[in-house]
Amino acid sequence: FLASSLTPVDALSRRFFYMLHQSQPDELTTTGTLYADVLHAIATDDEVEATAAASRLVDHMEDTTRSAFKVQY
């Protein structure tokens, strides 16, 4: 039930980040590097670093999302 409920949100999320990366291509490099850090920590079985790297990735994505919606006056 949960997975099927989140499918529309996943699709919208992918569309949002696709459009964001079209307008801010450098953002993709930063996000990719942070994601690679998570994968490397998992591959080396470093649970502490995997947790920290995942937190950095999520924090970065949250900051990026918030800045995309920030109204400039």
Side-chain angles (χ1 to χ4, degrees), residues 1-71:
F1 171 74
L2 182 60
S4 64
S5 298
L6 292 177
T7 299
V9 175
D10 181 49
L12 290 173
S13 175
R14 280 183 279 147
R15 288 179 186 157
F16 168 76
F17 280 104
Y18 175 80
M19 294 304 295
L20 177 69
H21 293 310
Q22 293 297 314
S23 65
Q24 300 176 19
D26 293 339
E27 186 57 39
L28 185 58
T29 303
T30 303
T31 302
T33 300
L34 291 168
Y35 188 66
D37 292 344
V38 173
L39 295 179
H40 182 267
I42 292 169
T44 58
D45 203 28
D46 187 343
E47 184 178 342
V48 173
E49 179 54 28
T51 302
S55 290
R56 288 191 299 271
L57 175 61
V58 170
D59 288 347
H60 173 72
M61 292 177 71
E62 180 181 354
D63 291 344
T64 300
T65 302
R66 288 183 185 278
S67 70
F69 287 101
K70 190 179 288 185
V71 177

